[in-house]
Amino acid sequence: GQNIDQPTEMTATEGAIVQINCTYQTSGFNGLFWYQQHAGEAPTFLSYNVLDGLEEKGRFSSFLSRSKGYSYLLLKELQMKDSASYLCAVMDSNYQLIWGAGTKLIIKP
Amino acid sequence: DGGITQSPKYLFRKEGQNVTLSCEQNLNHDAMYWYRQDPGQGLRLIYYSQIVNDFQKGDIAEGYSVSREKKESFPLTVTSAQKNPTAFYLCASSDALGSTGELFFGEGSRLTVL
């Protein structure tokens, strides 16, 4: 079966750095997405990786290793507004998105 | 501004009633999707449509129905056959089915069965 694994919850301190991991086993691979979702709101797009390596976008970076079935989202200079759930999703060989359950990130002052 | 509008934001239903959730987009996107989100689970695909007058079942279509009579609109009906309908429902769109571009989501509709 297809599976996406992420930690359920993480806690970090304002101003620090946090890395949220995502491992996947899917039927084929056409890219990996990260979305941010604040409680009770819609997910918003953060990043898309299809080739191995690191993509940097401001305070957020996303890394992909296709051979390991592994990605991470790196958040730097954490702010209180970064408290949210972070969703990892993989597009499989049928171009369907398979979603992880999300990682709830709690930022403490 | 372009975007996706879902309504209502909150909805209460008695058992045995059908309810329809509205989803309208003005992004000129061809593909539209309905997802269900439950605590501790990933988004699960209910139905999707890649073109007007065509739609396909997703992973959990039982107890739901949709229509796509206009490009802008993709309403979802939660029927009385859906045994556990209390959930957060998200509508999304993309420029094309299987696009590697981002999905745009509506604000969501929270359905509670009393």
Side-chain angles (χ1 to χ4, degrees):
Chain A
Q2 307 202 89
N3 195 50
I4 311 284
D5 284 318
Q6 309 177 233
T8 302
E9 186 173 296
M10 299 181 70
T11 302
T13 304
E14 191 177 15
I17 299 173
V18 69
Q19 177 176 312
I20 302 174
N21 296 327
C22 172
T23 59
Y24 63 89
Q25 290 178 307
T26 56
S27 303
F29 179 83
N30 280 300
L32 185 144
F33 296 81
W34 284 96
Y35 282 80
Q36 180 190 60
Q37 185 179 25
H38 286 99
E41 298 183 8
T44 54
F45 171 82
L46 289 177
S47 68
Y48 170 71
N49 294 66
V50 67
L51 299 176
D52 290 350
L54 187 69
E55 296 274 346
E56 298 185 75
K57 193 185 292 186
R59 292 189 299 115
F60 291 9
S61 303
S62 56
F63 172 82
L64 174 67
S65 169
R66 288 172 296 170
S67 62
K68 295 182 179 178
Y70 168 69
S71 173
Y72 67 73
L73 181 69
L74 191 71
L75 290 73
K76 302 177 184 176
E77 301 169 14
L78 286 170
Q79 301 175 10
M80 297 303 293
K81 67 178 181 180
D82 297 330
S83 292
S85 288
Y86 291 85
L87 313 180
C88 174
V90 173
M91 186 169 281
D92 69 11
S93 57
N94 294 320
Y95 292 93
Q96 296 291 337
L97 278 175
I98 312 300
W99 294 84
T103 299
K104 183 178 181 180
L105 178 63
I106 300 168
I107 309 297
K108 295 187 175 179
Chain B
D1 286 357
I4 299 184
T5 302
Q6 284 186 243
S7 63
K9 191 170 177 117
Y10 298 96
L11 185 61
F12 298 90
R13 185 193 98 173
K14 293 181 180 179
E15 286 194 19
Q17 286 182 335
N18 292 355
V19 294
T20 297
L21 308 180
S22 169
C23 178
E24 303 278 333
Q25 55 100 357
N26 60 4
L27 299 166
N28 199 33
H29 284 168
D30 286 318
M32 297 188 74
Y33 314 80
W34 273 105
Y35 287 96
R36 171 179 171 142
Q37 188 173 36
D38 294 285
Q41 297 189 43
L43 298 181
R44 291 185 290 168
L45 184 63
I46 305 172
Y47 269 97
Y48 62 98
S49 168
Q50 58 182 327
I51 198 169
V52 174
N53 292 323
D54 182 65
F55 48 82
Q56 305 296 328
K57 292 182 179 180
D59 301 320
I60 56 164
E62 185 175 352
Y64 300 97
S65 66
V66 293
S67 62
R68 187 85 185 275
E69 296 177 1
K70 299 186 299 182
K71 186 175 184 177
E72 302 79 18
S73 179
F74 191 42
L76 174 74
T77 296
V78 184
T79 76
S80 58
Q82 169 50 234
K83 298 306 179 188
N84 185 23
T86 294
F88 188 52
Y89 291 89
L90 286 162
C91 180
S93 72
S94 64
D95 54 2
L97 189 69
S99 167
T100 53
E102 63 182 283
L103 282 180
F104 290 82
F105 286 88
E107 291 298 310
S109 295
R110 187 168 298 279
L111 172 63
T112 302
V113 174
L114 302 173

